[in-house]
Amino acid sequence: MITSFKNGFSQTSSEVAEHSEEMVAPSSSVDLGFWTDQLDHLSEVYQKNGPFPHIQLDDFLEADTSVLAADAFPSINDAGWIHYVHLNEKKHGLNKRDLLPEFLRNVIDDLNSPEFCQFLSNLTGIPNLLPDDSMEGGGLHQSKRNGFLNVHADFTVHPHKPSWRRRVNLLVYLNPDWKPEYGGELELWERDMSRCAKRVLPLLNRAVIFNTDEDSYHGLPDPIRCPESMTRKSIALYYFTEEKELPKRVWTNYKSRPTDGLKSALFWLDKRLVWAYSTLKSRLGIDDSFVSRVLGGISFWTRSRRKEA
């Protein structure tokens, strides 16, 4: 993996860039001029990288922006978080625009702007990329200690826009003082699931951009080992193209690792249940907050029954 650094020097995977103490938000979250000046090189790297097209960009946001974004990140206990907790994942997401802190909302708007989408199209070679203003499945992501996300390929079609084919993911990590021993690396797996090809620590202001094909397998399958007082935080945004013919719909496809053994059968069963729910969600026009409330109610009922017993 070739990493591009805005500040022009290299870091080891355990280092975190130093940021200005004067936290004044710039007029734009990303210095597009800087990244555009490198576009020919970055695009070549992106499209040649394996196991599928991707790139890692450190110092991605303006330095002050990344610090302020990390500081503004809301607690999991705040309103609006969707709790994705089942056999294949344990993470939390917030995608309701009116519940996002204003600063983070502005950062996301910059990353969904026509200018930034054009940059992504030029980088990836995929023309006419569109942002998802509904942030379906994206927005803010956060995982506590022991959180995980099994290896998977993402859903291929927007749940509520059947002509929108999902093409590109952008992940921006917002984790000051993250140490290698905490784990939480993003893993990129070979298309045949034979091995993990790349691992990326979720360091502050590190971005990863990659194609979302039917076999772009990625995840963080090992439980995070950060302290109880910390969480793994990221902005997750997805970009689409509008197709003339309806694209093939495939829901999130969780895959077992060669070392998963007997657990593979349970992961497969859980995947089929997720597919059934996703189909229902698409047909009824509901969002993930619905199932989060249902699961939360079941969890509360279960805890109450245990106390009574």
Side-chain angles (χ1 to χ4, degrees):
M1 179 188 299
I2 296 178
T3 304
S4 181
F5 294 87
K6 184 177 178 183
N7 56 21
F9 61 85
S10 295
Q11 296 170 298
T12 65
S13 62
S14 63
E15 291 175 329
V16 178
E18 293 184 358
H19 299 275
S20 169
E21 293 181 0
E22 183 183 357
M23 298 195 304
V24 178
S27 58
S28 179
S29 304
V30 185
D31 185 353
L32 267 184
F34 172 84
W35 296 114
T36 300
D37 286 345
Q38 302 183 66
L39 195 52
D40 289 345
H41 169 66
L42 296 180
S43 180
E44 181 180 5
V45 169
Y46 182 94
Q47 296 179 48
K48 288 184 177 179
N49 264 345
F52 43 82
H54 74 276
I55 198 165
Q56 173 184 317
L57 300 176
D58 284 0
D59 304 314
F60 177 67
L61 302 173
E62 294 285 7
D64 291 349
T65 298
S66 67
V67 173
L68 287 168
D71 287 346
F73 215 93
S75 166
I76 288 177
N77 297 322
D78 291 351
W81 284 92
I82 300 167
H83 306 293
Y84 302 98
V85 180
H86 52 97
L87 281 176
N88 276 303
E89 63 181 322
K90 185 179 181 182
K91 71 173 187 181
H92 312 271
L94 178 61
N95 64 356
K96 298 300 183 186
R97 181 178 174 81
D98 58 342
L99 296 179
L100 297 176
E102 182 180 5
F103 190 86
L104 285 164
R105 189 165 63 240
N106 291 339
V107 172
I108 289 172
D109 286 346
D110 284 345
L111 299 176
N112 279 342
S113 68
E115 295 80 9
F116 187 78
C117 288
Q118 184 59 57
F119 167 78
L120 282 183
S121 285
N122 294 335
L123 173 70
T124 62
I126 302 172
N128 304 317
L129 285 173
L130 299 169
D132 177 21
D133 292 332
S134 69
M135 296 181 285
E136 183 65 41
L140 305 184
H141 285 172
Q142 189 166 193
S143 298
K144 298 188 288 187
R145 180 180 174 87
N146 294 320
F148 65 93
L149 174 60
N150 281 348
V151 178
H152 64 284
D154 291 309
F155 60 83
T156 59
V157 178
H158 194 288
H160 308 303
K161 299 179 180 180
S163 64
W164 279 35
R165 178 184 170 192
R166 184 167 170 178
R167 305 300 298 273
V168 173
N169 279 10
L170 166 64
L171 306 176
V172 183
Y173 296 112
L174 298 173
N175 301 299
D177 305 317
W178 193 268
K179 298 179 181 180
E181 54 264 35
Y182 298 164
E185 298 100 330
L186 172 69
E187 296 187 359
L188 307 182
W189 279 69
E190 297 288 355
R191 294 181 187 272
D192 63 1
M193 283 297 298
S194 59
R195 68 183 184 93
C196 175
K198 303 285 174 64
R199 289 182 173 87
V200 182
L201 271 175
L203 302 184
L204 176 68
N205 210 7
R206 172 170 287 173
V208 181
I209 305 168
F210 59 93
N211 279 18
T212 55
D213 304 318
E214 289 186 31
D215 53 2
S216 297
Y217 297 119
H218 61 283
L220 49 133
D222 294 316
I224 299 167
R225 302 182 299 277
C226 65
E228 295 285 355
S229 60
M230 296 179 67
T231 59
R232 181 186 187 274
K233 304 175 180 68
S234 63
I235 297 173
L237 299 176
Y238 312 140
Y239 301 86
F240 296 77
T241 54
E242 187 167 14
E243 305 294 314
K244 292 181 180 179
E245 297 184 6
L246 295 184
K248 178 183 177 182
R249 186 186 293 278
V250 178
W251 298 117
T252 303
N253 186 15
Y254 296 99
K255 302 291 283 188
S256 298
R257 296 173 293 176
T259 57
D260 282 333
L262 295 177
K263 292 187 293 185
S264 299
L266 295 176
F267 294 158
W268 180 88
L269 178 60
D270 182 74
K271 175 177 70 175
R272 303 300 294 193
L273 293 172
V274 170
W275 285 5
Y277 159 70
S278 298
T279 301
L280 186 65
K281 177 176 95 169
S282 177
R283 291 178 178 175
L284 298 182
I286 60 178
D287 60 26
D288 288 329
S289 60
F290 170 80
V291 73
S292 181
R293 290 193 298 271
V294 171
L295 291 174
I298 292 174
S299 177
F300 176 80
W301 182 83
T302 302
R303 290 195 303 269
S304 299
R305 296 290 292 178
R306 285 175 179 171
K307 288 179 181 179
E308 291 174 2

